[in-house]
Each structure stands twice: as C-alpha cells, then as structure tokens.
Amino acid sequence: KYHTSGNMKSNLERMKELIAILTEANKAYYQEDREIMSNFEYDSLYDELVDLENETGVVLSNSPTIHVGYEIISELPKIEHDIPMLSLDKTKETADLSAWLDSQTGLLSWKLDGLTIVLTYNNGELVRAVTRGSGEIGEVITSNAKVFKNLPLKISYKGELVIRGEAIIRYSDFQRINNEIPEIEGKYKNPRNLSSGSVRQLNNEITAKRNVNFFAFSLVSTSDEMDFNNSRKEQIDFLAKLGFDIVEYKIVNSDNISKTVEWFADNVSESDLPSDGLVLTYNDIEYGGSLGSTAKFPRDSIAFKWEDEIKETILKEIEWSA
C-alpha cells in the first residue's frame, strides 16, 4: 500500500541532492543572470526528479516541480487538539533512566529545541498543521508548514495520518540570519525563539526564507490502524519510508543506556540541530500505553536534561541607575 520499488532511503537522498542542484541552477539563472549548466543538463536532472517523485509518491516542499504560493493572513486560527499534548517528566540522572526502563527496551533520541507541531495528512496530502500551543489548544499554521524546507507535501500513504514532530532552525541558519541583523537589540537570543517566530508568521514568505526544518518523532494515528508489530521503532521507520526526516534515535536497554547517553553527550556539541536533552520512550507500544498518564505527564516517555554548566566569572563593575 505504501511500499515503493527500489531503495526508499537512497531514492530520497537522491531527490534531496537533485533539489539542491536544481535550486542552485535556478538561483544562478533567474537571480544572478548566469548559467551553471546547459538546458539539456537541467532538463535531464529535472526529469530524473519527476521520475523519482512518481516512483516514491513523495514530493518535498522545496522541490522545483511544484510551486507553493505565498499567503498572508490576518491571524492564526486556534483549534483544539484531538489528543491533548502533555509535557514530559524530567531527570538529570542517567541512573533514573535505567531504573525507569527496567527490563524494557526503549528508543533514546535527541530532544530537539524548537516548536512541536502536529501534522495531518489525508489522501497523501498535507491538510493541517497545528502548533502545540497550550497542549489543549494550538494555532493552525498549515500555510507555513507547506514551506518548511524538508517537509513532504505529498506522501505515498493514502489514509489519514497524524504525526508529531519538532520544527527547528539549524544553528548555521540561526547564525546566518542573526548576522544579517545589524542592531544588537534586534538579534535573536537562540534558535528556539527564532523557530517559534518563524513558524507563527502571518506571511509564509518570511517562514520560507528562514529555512525551517521538521523532524518527526511520533506517529499518533493512522486511519486503518496499521500493524507495527507493537513497536515504536517500526512506527518511526515507517515515517522515514514516507519521506520524513526523523529525530535520530538509538535502541537502548538498562545495560547500554549509560554508554548511549555518553555517546549523545559527546556528539551534542558537533550537531547543527539545537537540542536541550534527550527523550526515552518505551519501544513496546502496548506496555507504554497501559501505564496511562498523570495530570501532567505521559508515563510512556521521560526527558533527560543535560547537567547545567557551572563556570566561574569575575564581576568587574556595577553601574547604578536612578
């Protein structure tokens, strides 16, 4: 129903490569009045991209084969979430993660620091995007989501699909945007603030220029109640096959979780994606669901926050103001 021929992962990688090449060629030709390839070369690459989109059933938002119109709205409509979005309980101790996991296996992944978004697809097309908001009521940002840099606008699965993920702005894009702002007071404090402001724009042309990326971290529901062998991992891998970028994860148990946390800690400084910790989720969907939730937290997941950095500083001067 949703499978495609060939290697889906390599097809998606090739599609992203072609989009980058063709976008650069379009920019050179239309904005800089120069050619970096012949018409024959361009048409050949364009046709290859069209063939891959037809084969996979995936069309990414920045593909030159489509044109997403820009839209200006007066306000962001609000809507109630079908399933309330609760916060996660937190710990800073690796030992707590091991005890929480007990004899279960889990998925340990980055806790990306952006804005959580709920996406709904129907008949293979994106039909709604809503921010987390209060957890019960969010803002509809569908037109903005359609210009996220890496989001599939069309997927091969034709039933209703509801997923959650994080809209983020990479550190490299954050620095580029801040460097373009001359006034110190006008610069953004961190990528999360910039991401939140970019996602909630009333003019999605501004959103498009910010290079917002979406990383899926949870499958909420499918209309035909697909069987994922009771595995959260299979759900996430299914989203990857549909063309979504997913939050990087590793399978853990109580024996290897300490070393796996160390691996994430060693790599966080090298990542271009803003992260403020990790998320641990039970792989066993039924077991996690059977635990229910408290008034504030679901019991199938827990967040791990990095230890606060403590550094010495010297107070040189105090200036009093009336």
Side-chain angles (χ1 to χ4, degrees), residues 61-62 68-77 115 117 119 126-131 139-153 167 194-214:
S61 61
N62 56 347
V68 179
Y70 295 126
E71 180 181 355
I72 300 176
I73 56 178
S74 59
E75 65 177 12
L76 294 173
L115 199 66
I117 307 293
L119 301 179
L126 175 66
V127 294
R128 191 170 70 188
V130 184
T131 65
E139 294 174 311
V140 179
I141 49 98
T142 310
S143 63
N144 291 344
K146 287 181 178 180
V147 297
F148 288 176
K149 187 176 181 181
N150 64 335
L151 188 67
L153 297 186
L194 178 56
S195 177
S196 177
S198 301
V199 167
R200 301 176 63 253
Q201 287 290 327
L202 299 180
N203 181 351
N204 69 342
E205 185 174 4
I206 297 175
T207 306
K209 293 177 179 177
R210 299 281 177 82
N211 280 355
V212 179
N213 282 256
F214 177 86

Side-chain angles (χ1 to χ4, degrees), residues 35 55 78 115 130 166 200 265 272:
E35 291 188 17
E55 180 182 344
K78 292 180 172 57
L115 199 66
V130 184
E166 201 79 357
R200 301 176 63 253
D272 197 28

Side-chain angles (χ1 to χ4, degrees), residues 101-219:
L101 200 54
D102 196 21
S103 61
Q104 294 288 322
T105 60
L107 277 67
L108 188 65
S109 60
W110 297 111
K111 185 176 182 295
L112 296 182
D113 195 15
L115 199 66
T116 301
I117 307 293
V118 184
L119 301 179
T120 302
Y121 287 77
N122 216 325
N123 196 30
E125 297 190 1
L126 175 66
V127 294
R128 191 170 70 188
V130 184
T131 65
R132 180 187 186 280
S134 67
E136 295 184 354
I137 297 177
E139 294 174 311
V140 179
I141 49 98
T142 310
S143 63
N144 291 344
K146 287 181 178 180
V147 297
F148 288 176
K149 187 176 181 181
N150 64 335
L151 188 67
L153 297 186
K154 295 184 179 181
I155 58 176
S156 58
Y157 178 70
K158 301 305 179 185
E160 183 179 80
L161 174 75
V162 181
I163 68 173
R164 292 174 181 170
E166 201 79 357
I168 62 100
I169 288 181
R170 296 175 182 273
Y171 281 123
S172 52
D173 286 317
F174 169 73
Q175 292 167 357
R176 173 184 58 81
I177 292 169
N178 254 0
N179 289 339
E180 294 171 354
I181 302 173
E183 305 85 7
I184 296 296
E185 60 273 13
K187 294 182 183 294
Y188 294 93
K189 293 182 179 179
N190 54 58
R192 187 187 188 284
N193 286 350
L194 178 56
S195 177
S196 177
S198 301
V199 167
R200 301 176 63 253
Q201 287 290 327
L202 299 180
N203 181 351
N204 69 342
E205 185 174 4
I206 297 175
T207 306
K209 293 177 179 177
R210 299 281 177 82
N211 280 355
V212 179
N213 282 256
F214 177 86
F215 288 86
F217 60 66
S218 175
L219 188 155

